[in-house]
Amino acid sequence: MMVGVMVACSSVSSIKALWETRIRRKREEQEEEHKRRTTRGGATGRLGVGLWEDRAALARLKQKLETEDGRLVLRIEQEEWKVLPGCLIQLSQVQEWQIHRTGLLKIPHFISSFQNLLVLDLSRNGVAEIPKQIGKLTRLRELLLSYNRIPFVPAELSGCESLERLELAMNRDLNELPDQLGMLSRLQHVDLSMNDFSCLPACLLALPALEWLDIGGNRLHHLPEDIHRMEALHTLWLQRNELEKLPENIARMRSLDTLVLSSNRLRDIPPLMEGMSNLRFVNFRDNPLTLDVTLPSNKAVAEEEEEDDREMFGKEFMLMYIQEARKRAYAVLNVHCVNQSDGESNDESSA
């Protein structure tokens, strides 16, 4: 009897275990199926949302298109666009970007797709990097990135062979340029003001077409002796630096007609600058020059004329300073000669 009971219990336990196993497996299969459906549904949902966002962004960007002087211009002003969407690549026919005060953080790598781009103006944003892909824009004429956070310029920028204007003012930590930029044979205008340069980048001396350079508000301690290699340069801004002297070869810059040297540490003016007949405007204001030279009053000047207006005649001051320095040098020389002659006379008398 006991054997029969044990067999019956064993059979019931086996059947129970079998059904529990089947139920567990069924539950697991249902859970897996639910997960698969949820995943597919979520991916589809996200894809749908992504497509909708791209379409909305593209429609918004198309509203920013303008035609100016026959160019198709993308203009965004004072709107938040920290990142430019990938759908922008569908507007690759745009020839000019004007994107200012948007908080833009980076130039997208797909910038190389804009082969028709002539002007890239991203001034007053938060851009912290110039991508290497920018070097593929062989038709780009103007790159304007002033008032951003760029600490470094890639050598690949030299691939922009049509570049005529480069503005990198007020990027603060920028303190050097790659030598390869010297290959930009059409570059005429460079603005490096208010950065952290301690010397003039060597690549600038190699630019054959450079006509206008502003590197004021940096930490320049000296200028290169071969500065006259910038043969085409007609305007040079060097204000608010730490220059203590000027190289004599600056007098050999035959094209230079505007030279701003205010707020430096200059002690003297090279005498050879007297021969710079091409120089129209020069400014030595706020420098600790050795000689105290004051321009004579000009009665022909109207009484109401401001003192700063006379500052426009900085060349007059420069010439007067050089003449005064020469007079004093001659006077010192004469005194030395007289003293030497008197000494010789006393020696002869003693003999």
Side-chain angles (χ1 to χ4, degrees):
M1 183 69 178
M2 290 298 295
V3 174
V5 173
M6 292 178 62
V7 171
C9 291
S10 178
S11 299
V12 171
S13 298
S14 299
I15 293 171
K16 184 180 179 182
L18 179 61
W19 278 105
E20 287 178 348
T21 301
R22 289 179 178 177
I23 292 171
R24 186 173 60 255
R25 288 179 179 175
K26 185 66 176 179
R27 186 180 295 121
E28 291 174 352
E29 290 174 358
Q30 289 175 345
E31 289 177 354
E32 290 178 3
E33 179 65 20
H34 178 70
K35 288 181 180 178
R36 283 197 295 270
R37 289 179 179 177
T38 302
T39 303
R40 285 199 301 269
T44 303
R46 285 193 299 272
L47 181 60
V49 171
L51 288 173
W52 182 87
E53 289 178 345
D54 283 349
R55 289 173 182 172
L58 185 59
R60 187 180 170 195
L61 288 169
K62 285 181 178 179
Q63 293 176 352
K64 307 297 181 183
L65 295 179
E66 303 175 359
T67 301
E68 295 181 4
D69 300 325
R71 290 183 184 176
L72 186 59
V73 180
L74 175 65
R75 185 180 302 279
I76 305 176
E77 304 276 355
Q78 298 184 348
E79 294 183 12
E80 186 171 329
W81 287 82
K82 291 185 177 181
V83 178
L84 294 173
C87 62
L88 178 58
I89 202 171
Q90 297 182 47
L91 304 178
S92 60
Q93 72 274 22
V94 171
Q95 296 171 289
E96 184 171 333
W97 287 16
Q98 293 286 345
I99 303 177
H100 310 137
R101 300 181 185 276
T102 66
L104 186 67
L105 298 176
K106 61 185 297 186
I107 302 173
H109 289 180
F110 58 74
I111 188 71
S112 58
S113 299
F114 289 78
Q115 288 298 307
N116 294 318
L117 202 59
L118 302 177
V119 177
L120 180 57
D121 187 351
L122 303 177
S123 304
R124 299 184 182 277
N125 283 292
V127 177
E129 179 186 7
I130 301 176
K132 296 179 180 180
Q133 290 82 353
I134 203 168
K136 297 180 180 179
L137 301 179
T138 57
R139 299 181 62 189
L140 188 67
R141 296 177 189 171
E142 299 184 16
L143 178 60
L144 313 178
L145 293 169
S146 295
Y147 293 87
N148 277 282
R149 300 174 183 174
I150 296 168
F152 175 76
V153 176
E156 286 77 6
L157 183 60
S158 61
C160 299
E161 57 189 33
S162 299
L163 198 63
E164 299 174 359
R165 189 182 188 97
L166 176 63
E167 295 190 357
L168 294 165
M170 196 64 177
N171 278 278
R172 295 186 179 276
D173 294 330
L174 186 63
N175 57 22
E176 62 179 354
L177 294 179
D179 292 341
Q180 290 86 343
L181 295 194
M183 298 187 293
L184 294 171
S185 60
R186 300 182 185 181
L187 189 55
Q188 302 173 8
H189 177 112
V190 177
D191 189 351
L192 300 173
S193 58
M194 295 179 287
N195 285 301
D196 198 36
F197 290 91
S198 60
C199 62
L200 200 71
C203 64
L204 298 179
L205 301 176
L207 295 172
L210 186 61
E211 297 179 349
W212 192 99
L213 173 63
D214 187 348
I215 193 168
N218 280 271
R219 298 186 299 108
L220 298 185
H221 297 286
H222 66 278
L223 296 175
E225 291 296 330
D226 56 348
I227 193 172
H228 60 286
R229 288 174 54 195
M230 296 191 286
E231 296 180 354
L233 196 68
H234 62 65
T235 300
L236 179 57
W237 292 78
L238 294 165
Q239 73 285 358
R240 297 192 305 279
N241 275 289
E242 300 174 12
L243 296 172
E244 297 184 359
K245 62 176 293 187
L246 298 175
E248 292 191 355
N249 280 334
I250 199 170
R252 297 173 60 185
M253 301 180 72
R254 302 304 178 192
S255 300
L256 194 64
D257 65 16
T258 299
L259 176 61
V260 182
L261 291 159
S262 54
S263 300
N264 274 279
R265 300 177 182 178
L266 296 174
R267 303 291 298 172
D268 282 301
I269 300 175
L272 291 178
M273 290 185 69
E274 187 177 27
M276 297 182 71
S277 58
N278 51 296
L279 197 60
R280 294 188 302 107
F281 175 76
V282 62
N283 192 331
F284 286 94
R285 191 172 184 174
D286 296 329
N287 277 281
L289 294 168
T290 302
L291 303 181
D292 185 14
V293 175
T294 303
L295 291 176
S297 61
N298 189 348
K299 296 180 181 180
V301 178
E303 293 182 0
E304 64 271 14
E305 184 176 10
E306 295 289 340
E307 181 182 351
D308 285 347
D309 292 336
R310 192 99 190 268
E311 193 73 35
M312 296 295 292
F313 298 95
K315 184 174 181 180
E316 182 183 352
F317 170 83
M318 179 188 78
L319 295 176
M320 187 173 178
Y321 186 96
I322 293 173
Q323 292 169 4
E324 182 65 23
R326 186 180 293 118
K327 288 179 183 178
R328 297 196 184 191
Y330 285 153
V332 171
L333 181 61
N334 288 335
V335 169
H336 176 73
C337 290
V338 169
N339 290 338
Q340 187 176 15
S341 177
D342 290 345
E344 292 175 353
S345 298
N346 291 335
D347 289 343
E348 290 176 358
S349 299
S350 300

